[in-house]
Every structure is written in structure tokens, then in C-alpha cells.
Amino acid sequence: MRSLLSSTYSSSSSQQQPSPPPLKPPTEQTPLLLPLPSTGGDAALPPGPSPTINNDPPEEESEPPFPASQILLLCLARLLEPIAFFSIFPYINKMAQENGALPDTDVGFYSGLIESLFSLTQMFVMIFWGRASDSFGRKPVLVASIVGVSLATMLFGTAKTITEMIVYRCAAGVFAGNVVTIRTMIAEQCGQRSGNHQAKAFGWFSIANNMGISLGPLMGGMLAEPAGTWPGFFEGGLMERYPYLLSSLVIGGMGLGCAGVVGVWVEETLDRGTEGKREVERMTVGQLVRSPGVGIVLVVNGWVMLLAYSYTAILPVFWFTKVELGGFGFSPVQISWLMGLTGLSQAVWMLAIFPRLQARIGTNGVMRVCAKAYPFFFALGPVFSMLLRTGRPEFVTVFWVCAPVFFCLGSGVSMSFTAIQLAVNDVAPVARMLGTLVSISQAVVSGTRSFSPALFASLYALSVKAQWLLHGYSIWVLMVAMALVFTVLSLWLPDYEQLKKEREARAEGESERLLA
């Protein structure tokens, strides 16, 4: 609301004042606005038109440019955590069996335990990293977490017992808080008011995360047991005694280099205003979670991640399962090609479509479109499997023509992963509490990741065994039902602009109360 400016002039006083000398009319050499001569009292207005006041609305502040260099540096830092997490997957079973002298029947249990402990430990420390970044700054916390996870990853390659493997894996999880800080810094670099910039930046963030997921197993598998792969270079030395050390050293070294880059070139984004600091000290985690709109956004965040991790756990096994048991019967090469194709299409959705769609229909609009598409996307799998199960050539042809196209189109539901990140940013009640709120959301994600892959892979196995129940497709009934729950939850997402106005009104009322 704009206030109108008015000027009040006094033209007389209680005593008689001498008349001011007459003013000369302005000439080309005379300034148009002359100082009034002093009269010993209030100034009198010269005759003529009164000064005009410009009441035109001020021009809207232009949107700042997209901070591409800073976002790229933060995406580089983001690569580390998924690389460190997934790099052990190709060799963890063999490493556990060798270090623990385990029978074949026990290998799966211990390897699954070691894999899950990273995420489980991460879940318990996420809030600590978020609170630390809100208090001490984003950049020092980011550098510390990168250095910690890099050193723990290096140590993992030296483990010679199951206990050491567990300890070093948990240590890596303790320091894997960089995802919280990076997400917070991206939001602050773009400015929370700039939804377009955030949509683009978090699209880049998602691509960096997916690259890390792909590079981790690739690097871990290629660099494991180098004495056997490159005997001329590593045979008879340290790498033969510690066959998994090279992978850990390379990935840990990349992390330390990344920490140096972050320390030198990444900008601090935390606003250290005293008012914000007071809010941080005053608001507890419980109060933050109970703030308007926060609870439902956290629930939706957890549910979206549950859908993602459960589907990711089921998909490769489903594609590999024989056609007569309700799968696609793909070979490893076919699985890799289709996964690569869907990964490429997901990148197109995130980089080319999501920013424009988010600018057009908003964050909640994207979430609701994805929520409506999820049930149909999950139903595609069993429908295509039924086509193959008929064995009729024309239906098999329809499968090979339609299945790749529909899976590429269906991968657009991955936009919900980035949209929910924007929703978390938008619902933060205090800007300086954004780090803590992101850490809570990531703790939910880490907790989900710690149990959902094993749980849903087991449920899929039970579904395939129970061919008498829906011909082995019962797991997909569960997945569609979970997707429908998401469809309903998306309708309860809050109006972020309305929340912002209510918070501003409360803040204004509190300020007036303090001044009264």
C-alpha cells in the first residue's frame, strides 16, 4: 500500500513579517528552482503552480540473472554423495564375504546391512547439519561434510573385517550432509522469490544427482581389484593386499579436490541478519514442523520418495523376470539400453520441460499433474507384460513399438522429485530456518532409502511366487494404490503465496505490538 505525500506550508505568523523581495522570472541562465530568501520565519510559497509529486508506481525490480557458475559448482559438489554411496555396490558382496569369511547364505544379509547403514546414519545426523548451516554458515558446513565423507570413503577401502566396514560406512553417512547444504544454497542463490530460477537450478541438481548414481557403480566396479585387472601395474603391492583401496582413494581424492573448489569459489549464501538469527534461536524443530503448511509438505515429500525408491527397486527385477512369471524377460543388455533411454528422457523432462511447466502452472500444479499420472504409469508395467504373455506376434510387435515410447513419456513423473524440493523451499516459515527444514525433509528421504529397496524387492519376489494371486501382478496393485494415495495427498498442498501473506501480516502485527 502506497502512502500519499503531502506538503503543508505556513503563509502567515502571529506577528507582521516584512514582505520578501520580488523574484525575477527565470531565464535560460537562471535555475528554475531558486532557494527562497530567508524571512526570519516560515518560508512562503512563491506564486505560481505548486510543485508536482510523481505518484506513478515504481518500476518492478527486474529479476536477477541466473547464477549459472555458482549452480554448476554446487552441482559438482552434489556428485560426490551418490558416487560415494553407490560405488561399493559392484563389489560389496565379495568384499563382505572375503573380510568376514561368510557362507554364501549370509552374504546378502551383511552386504544389505552395510549398504543401508549409510542412509540410516545419514537420517539421524541430517537435522544436525541443517541446524549447523543455519547457525555457522552454509559454506563451512559444506566443506566440512565433503572432507569428512571423502576421508571416510578412503578408509573404507582399507577395511579387513566386517566391523571395520560397518564403522567406516557409518562414518561416511555421518558426514553425508552436503545434500542438505547444497539444496539450501541453490535456493538462496536463486532467491526464494524467483521460482523460474529455482526450477531451472533444481533441474540441474537432479541431473547431477542422476549422474552420480550412474558414475558411482561404474567407477567402483572398474577400479576394484586392480591387481587382477592391471597386473603389470598393481600386482604384488599395496593394491593386492587391499583390493578395494584404489576405488576408495580415487573417489575420496575427487571429494577432497571438490572441497578445495568449494572453499575457494563457492559463495556464502546465508543472510546473517540479526532478526533472522533471533528467529533461528527462538524456533525449535517441533515448532518448525508444526508451522502452517510444513507438515503436509513433509508428508508428501516422504511419500513421493517412497514411490521412487520402491519403483527403482522393483523395475530391474521386473524387466529381468521371465515372461511366463509376469515380467519382460529382458537380457542384461536390453535392461541397460532401456534404463539408459528412460534416463535420457528423464533428463529432457527436467531440463527442457519442467522449468517451463512450473512457470506456467506453478509448483503445486506440477505436483498434481504428476500425481494423476503416477497410477497410470505404474499400471503400464503389468499391461505390457500381459501383451508379451499372450505370445501372439502382433501383440509382441505392439509391445516393442509402444513400450519404449510410453516408458519415456512416463518418466516425466520424475518432475515430482524436483517439484517437492521447491515446495519445501516455499513453505519455510523463516528464511534462516531453510537449512533446518531441508535437513528434516532429507532425513525423511534417508530413512525411506534405508528400508524401501529391500522391502519392495522382497514384496516383488513374494508376488512372483504367488502366481495364484492376480497371476503374479499383486505387487502392481499395491504400487497403483500407493500412487492413488499420492494423488489425494497432492490436493492438500498449501497455497504458498497465501502462506507468505499471512506470515507477513503476523510479522507486521508483532512489530506494531513491540513498538506500542
Side-chain angles (χ1 to χ4, degrees), residues 85-100:
F85 179 79
F86 289 99
S87 64
I88 72 168
F89 279 39
Y91 61 78
I92 183 63
N93 294 305
K94 189 174 182 181
M95 185 180 184
Q97 188 170 38
E98 292 172 349
N99 287 344

Side-chain angles (χ1 to χ4, degrees), residues 25 48 51 62 68 83 89 147 154 221 272 324 337 343 347 358 363 402 504:
S62 60
I83 289 177
F89 279 39
V147 170
M154 289 179 169
R272 298 179 180 274
E324 56 268 25
W337 274 104
Q358 193 273 341
T363 300
C402 296
E504 290 175 350

Side-chain angles (χ1 to χ4, degrees), residues 292-294 296-297 364 368 423 427 490-497 499:
V294 172
I296 183 61
V297 168
N364 284 354
R368 287 164 184 155
V427 83
S490 68
L491 301 176
W492 295 344
L493 288 168
D495 184 333
Y496 307 111
E497 289 300 322
L499 285 177

Side-chain angles (χ1 to χ4, degrees), residues 43 74 131 203 247 258-259 264 299 455:
L74 291 171
R131 296 288 280 185
S247 170
C258 180
V264 174
V299 169
L455 173 62

Side-chain angles (χ1 to χ4, degrees), residues 79 82-91 210-222 247 251:
L79 282 172
I83 289 177
F85 179 79
F86 289 99
S87 64
I88 72 168
F89 279 39
Y91 61 78
N210 290 341
M211 287 178 61
I213 293 173
S214 301
L215 288 173
L218 180 64
M219 295 177 64
M222 289 180 60
S247 170
I251 293 170

